[in-house]
Amino acid sequence: MIKKQNNLLREHEGVAIICSDRQIGYREMLLRSMMFARHTRAGQGERVIIFSENREGWGYALFGIWQQQAIAVPVDVGSTADDLAYVINDCHPVCVWTNREHLEMVQGVLEKVSFSVDVCLIEDFERTTIDTQEEALVPYTSSQVALIIYTSGTTGSPKGVMLTFGNIMANIDSVSKEVHIFRPELRTMVLLPLHHIFPLLGSLVAPIAIGGGIAISPSMTPQDIMNTLSRGKIGIVIGVPRLWQSLYKGIYGKIQSSPIARMLFVLASKLKSRRFSRFVFSSVRKKMGGHITYCVSGGAALDKEVAVGMRTLGLDVLEGFGMSETAPIITFTRPDDIVPGSVGKPMPSVRVDIQDGEICVKGQNVMLGYYNRPEETAMVMDKAGWLHTGDLGYFDKKGRLYITGRKKEIIVLSNGKNINPSELEGILEHYQDYVKEAAVIQEGDHLRAIIVPQPAYATASDTELESLLKEQVLIPYNATVASYKKIMCLSIYRGDLPRTRLDKLQRFKLHSLLAVSDIPTASAPTPSSTEPSFPEYVLIRNYLASEKKTEVHPLDNLETDLALDSLDKVTLQGFLEMNFGIDLEQSKLLSFKNVLELAEYVAEEKSFVEDVKMDWKTLVNQPVDLIDLPHTWKSGWMLTHIFRSFSLLYFRLSFRGLDNIPSQGPFILAPNHQSFLDGMFVISALDRKGVLNTYFYAKSDHVRSPFARMMAHRHNVIVMDTSRIKHSILQLVKVLKTGKSVMIFPEGTRTYNGQVNLFKKTFSILAQELNVPIVPVCIDGAFSAMPRGSILPRPRKVTVTFLPRICPTEVSTYESLVEQTRTAIEATLGK
């Protein structure tokens, strides 16, 4: 069977390429491509490398390779000799197209390989007299490999992505025939390096193929960009988020300096009228050449504020989501459906599905596989043909996709909390008066920020800058985010963070930055040359050093340097009350910039000075008569009974070890946490009296809505408010002192993988100090029935096992009770 061949290029009217002062028509472009083909000694399916900066000859080399039915392998011209050698040894090219500037490096690499490789110089044929009049075609079949794109992305492990002509044409058709973005009347600017598939397809292949033509910017400097926009009458600009961020920041700064412009900007943002915005801010488009129709952003997530702002200025920014493995488009925003924050709807010819939170794609755009990497190909492409992108996301009701993070980049703390570092970095970079760039990494169970300061602070000392960033960035940042997203450590980096050429942060390189000796880290600040010696400071410093098992310095911040968590703050409050007679609200406690400032306040306000360690016994034995408790409505028993009846059928819910539940007196139920329904699974085992006499301890995150708060207050739910933790602990104390029971999930949050997370010690403190038994509870099967992210539960078998009670003794410690409870549950799980 003979496969049908098509032709990628044809002779359109008008100018194909504008480069500096040259204008090249389609006829000349095709003939020069044929001349490059004649000097590319490569057969069908053989590999040819292009190693050059953007220039008109780059395109001739590409089309010449394709005319020979060979495979083009674009390589980043900024690569090191080792990087280039890796690609050459991996794909065994027969030829390399380069230029004189890089010839020495190419020849040096080729001297070390064991096979023969031709070297061709682009300058030799780029502008010389055309030596052929042969008909120039780019014949292809859909299954034929056109490109091998080496992608290391953010992982540092280069793989050759094999893209077919079918992959390429699926992309071109989607943005020209199916959705009319690329059109013959719109010229595209070549700005980003062409070795990436996003600019290669979007700013070279697609506009040339459909007849719109291109104009090549000599560099990415503002002057060259503006000159190219004007000279080329550019209609489409392909850029990365930082380009649009920089452009928007410059324009917005000028708007803010003019009261009239500022008023018009506010009005335009409220009207959301494209016509009004383009009329009012017509000068913006004129300065950009006057012909821009679409700004296209890709390679990384575009800040929502920038997207909204650009639209307010009358500039449509079309976002796309994709990867090298999909040549590159998966979804893109339609011109008539731009929703900032969304990356649009899927390409018409592909299917996109969310599988366990991960975005998966199947269709004509999906790569053939990784070159000579069948095992790695199988890791991302399943047997059903789905490509697993590694990105997390969801669809709205209208089919628009939203990206929530990168699966491999998600930081998972020991408490099971998932953190998308990109989200936090975006918030930090909004403090743009101080922060030029930011990266967030995990260190143990805490987060560290690596901050590149704005150039205005280049002359500031590390100590001055560290103090400034803590005060103006980290402290206000931490006040606005959930406790698990707080950044406890800070490093200053006076350089550019490592990124790919398409602006993606190379996270695998971030930890190595901290090994550089001249990067100051705020987790290990330089001690003050004059360590304070007044008694209040000494007592507070020694207490914190003992609690946190670390050195404490005068300028340490309680959160960003010493990483005090919620329970730590309660104990510190108790310490200050017992040792100095000062009762500090948590908000006041956190208002102090550092340990020294806190100590100075204590020295001024103290009633007395003692040297007493924090005593939980004292805290839990405080009077609780005036402590309020949630109401106990009898409807709680009715709801539990209904849930139990449903669960016996749907989940085949079963109970074991019911005789381990005490028949009277207070006790603490300590279950592992697998699903949103765990509390109801456990409480369903109790009788009517047990249900009405058992209180839940829940985080405020679970009762955000007014209805949820109302239901919690009427059904025995004690809410852990991070601003009033001491009060919620005393509520638990009152419940236990009145002979009733509490249910506390020691993990604090649901598991992400079905395994038991680390336990917090609140339950063990209460048990030890009030001499109350602990009943470990093993929940098994609930994770399968309703894992994180699921909306509807699945009909899976759930078993709840009540284990033998653990009674505190005189020799028990908080830690030993935690360990006994966790070990008992882990030993039962899965049996």
Side-chain angles (χ1 to χ4, degrees), residues 6 13 110 131 154 197 212 261 317 343 346 383 394 456 486 500 584 711 719 744 797 807 821:
N6 304 280
E13 296 292 331
L110 292 180
D131 63 2
T154 57
I197 185 61
V317 181
V343 291
K383 294 180 179 179
Y394 66 92
K486 291 184 178 181
T500 68
L584 277 182
M711 291 295 289
V719 178
I744 302 176
K797 179 174 177 56
C807 298
T821 305

Side-chain angles (χ1 to χ4, degrees), residues 188-189 191 229 234-239 243-244 292 294-297:
T188 302
M189 181 163 68
L191 181 64
L229 286 171
I234 299 298
I236 299 175
V237 180
I238 309 287
L243 171 68
W244 307 122
I292 284 193
Y294 299 122
C295 304
V296 180
S297 182

Side-chain angles (χ1 to χ4, degrees), residues 679-701:
M680 294 301 293
F681 284 141
V682 175
I683 204 75
S684 294
L686 306 183
D687 57 20
R688 184 176 183 277
K689 179 181 177 181
V691 170
L692 298 178
N693 286 338
T694 300
Y695 286 73
F696 298 83
Y697 191 41
K699 293 186 296 185
S700 57
D701 292 353

